Amino acid sequence: MKIKPVKNSRLAEVDYTNLGFGDYFSDHMVTCEFSDGAWGEPSIVPFSSIELSPAALALHYGQTVFEGLKAFRGTVDHKVRLFRVDRNAARITVSCTRLCIPAPDESLVIESIKQLVMLDQDWAPSRRGEALYVRPVLIATEPHLAVRPASQYRLLIFTSPVCEYFAQAKSPLYLKAEERYTRAPHGGTGYAKTASNYSVTLRPMNDSVEDGFDQILWLDGQEHRYVEEAGQMNMFFRLGDSVVTPDLSGTILPGVTRESVLTLLADMGVTATERRLSMDELFQAQNEGELYEAFGAGTASVVVPIGRIRYQDDDLCFPEDQPGNLCPKLYDMILGIQHGELEDRHSWMIALE
Ligand SMILES: *Cc1c(COP(=O)(O)O)cnc(C)c1O
């Protein structure tokens, strides 16, 4: 791959004692263009602003797709490895198909990410839970005004050293089950990682934060009764003697962390089912003393405990520090695998060479 290295690295400007999420961007980025019906060769160049026509279709009609994954530094050998990059590459194909974007070869995406992370591996933090976050984004660059798929695109991939998304949160999250707004309707784009799914959440998010909530728990768009997901996290509940997560009905994002949690739960011998789950069922389980735990799962936040969920005028409450809680166990297992401290039974970690 063609590489144009930076003259002077900005690495020394990073405050690794106080990383935040998305405050810093590493030295280099991948760029690759689609025109005349084909993707060109990717190359690596210094991270910089890009030139874009004011008429670029992505800016007006949101023909874009993005991804998010992480690379971790091994606690023992200090080597940097990617977590399940193949799953994110596969999801790019799914998202692109929904958005009428010609999907680049998954091998091109994976190889580009490996080369980029290899080149900027010194940027990967070494503290447990911190990571080098990788952000691929595809945008329609063709200047035009008609609402139709573009004929020109650009793939950009850059990285950012990050701490955990909710690292600053002092206590389990307080969610508002959203009864008015909808994130994604049936037949919409909920399962694709595309910009419009996030812009529609800004106003509801803003309002709920003003009301003292940490995040929104999205409910189904038709009846506002069934659990979907929370922010950029898939949801898990422990009720009775099993774990339930909403099934992938097309309105929620099929998370790589969700998939990993389901695999780890199976390894632990815990029964987990993917199915529709109503707020009524959760309140009934609470009344019967059978509702034990809720947590969110996503790349940015790993797994985070939920303390309380407001629905109508009632709260679902999840007691902290229960001995049977799965969230802390899953957290330790996932981070243990990601930092090379635990055996990687499912070959999730991918070396850079
Ligand atoms: C990215 C994302 C998730 C989590 O997916 P991961 O692959 O685990 O990071 C969940 N919900 C939404 C809406 C997302 O954008």
Side-chain angles (χ1 to χ4, degrees):
M1 192 175 301
K2 263 221 287 249
I3 297 178
K4 185 178 169 221
V6 293
K7 293 206 178 69
N8 299 301
S9 174
R10 291 175 284 102
L11 180 55
E13 295 166 20
V14 180
D15 177 5
Y16 274 91
T17 62
N18 186 21
L19 272 183
F21 195 96
D23 293 345
Y24 299 103
F25 303 113
S26 315
D27 283 331
H28 299 92
M29 66 182 187
V30 170
T31 173
C32 187
E33 284 176 38
F34 179 97
S35 61
D36 301 324
W39 283 99
E41 289 291 319
S43 63
I44 294 180
V45 298
F47 179 87
S48 73
S49 300
I50 59 167
E51 199 165 279
L52 201 59
S53 165
L57 283 162
L59 298 177
H60 303 263
Y61 311 128
Q63 198 192 7
T64 69
V65 159
F66 73 97
E67 262 306 326
L69 65 141
K70 282 172 170 174
F72 297 84
R73 192 177 288 287
T75 308
V76 179
D77 66 4
H78 307 294
K79 283 199 178 135
V80 177
R81 293 180 189 82
L82 286 156
F83 183 72
R84 307 195 75 179
V85 57
D86 51 317
R87 303 301 301 137
N88 298 88
R91 197 165 62 194
I92 286 181
T93 302
V94 173
S95 297
C96 280
T97 303
R98 181 64 179 84
L99 270 293
C100 282
I101 298 175
D105 276 349
E106 288 169 27
S107 58
L108 176 148
V109 173
I110 295 169
E111 198 46 41
S112 299
I113 291 172
K114 281 187 180 176
Q115 297 278 331
L116 179 69
V117 172
M118 184 133 64
L119 184 63
D120 282 339
Q121 59 182 287
D122 288 350
W123 287 72
S126 46
R127 288 201 296 204
R128 204 162 186 275
E130 296 182 342
L132 192 63
Y133 183 86
V134 182
R135 171 53 64 91
V137 62
L138 292 106
I139 56 173
T141 50
E142 185 199 352
H144 207 273
L145 289 177
V147 179
R148 57 150 173 78
S151 62
Q152 291 158 20
Y153 299 88
R154 191 154 172 197
L155 164 68
L156 296 158
I157 309 172
F158 55 92
T159 70
S160 171
V162 297
C163 68
E164 275 166 42
Y165 199 74
F166 291 111
Q168 280 88 350
K170 300 159 289 306
S171 51
L173 303 182
Y174 187 18
L175 306 184
K176 170 187 170 188
E178 179 61 60
E179 290 169 74
R180 181 164 154 231
Y181 296 109
T182 300
R183 188 189 94 97
H186 278 287
T189 57
Y191 67 90
K193 246 177 151 71
T194 184
S196 59
N197 287 343
Y198 304 86
S199 53
V200 295
T201 67
L202 296 176
R203 169 51 53 199
M205 264 297 299
N206 233 52
D207 293 355
S208 69
V209 167
E210 268 174 26
D211 291 339
F213 299 96
D214 296 305
Q215 272 285 344
I216 287 176
L217 176 65
W218 294 103
L219 303 177
D220 73 284
Q222 249 155 344
E223 300 177 72
H224 291 100
R225 272 178 63 199
Y226 297 94
V227 174
E228 301 238 286
E229 57 182 326
Q232 280 81 265
M233 296 186 298
N234 294 112
M235 287 296 299
F236 287 82
F237 293 86
R238 188 160 63 88
L239 63 162
D241 51 12
S242 72
V243 172
V244 180
T245 190
D247 56 329
L248 302 176
S249 58
T251 53
I252 67 173
L253 205 284
V256 178
T257 317
R258 174 186 181 279
E259 193 181 296
S260 308
V261 165
L262 287 171
T263 301
L264 292 175
L265 288 174
D267 287 355
M268 293 158 77
V270 175
T271 311
T273 50
E274 302 172 63
R275 63 169 173 87
R276 230 153 68 128
L277 180 62
S278 70
M279 292 303 293
D280 295 341
E281 182 181 345
L282 289 171
F283 275 99
Q284 194 181 333
Q286 172 163 279
N287 289 340
E288 292 166 358
E290 295 260 285
L291 183 64
Y292 304 112
E293 187 183 1
F295 56 92
T299 295
S301 49
V302 194
V303 283
V304 284
I306 309 300
R308 237 168 7 132
I309 301 174
R310 165 69 53 89
Y311 179 59
Q312 294 168 347
D313 292 321
D314 267 326
D315 274 0
L316 290 169
C317 298
F318 303 91
E320 244 181 290
D321 302 326
Q322 295 296 103
N325 276 0
L326 293 168
C327 186
K329 292 197 187 89
L330 287 163
Y331 180 84
D332 284 339
M333 287 171 85
I334 294 171
L335 280 196
I337 294 168
Q338 289 175 331
H339 286 285
E341 299 156 5
L342 294 179
E343 189 196 345
D344 179 18
R345 288 175 58 188
H346 302 285
S347 304
W348 286 342
M349 302 313 294
I350 292 154
L352 299 181
E353 291 94 286

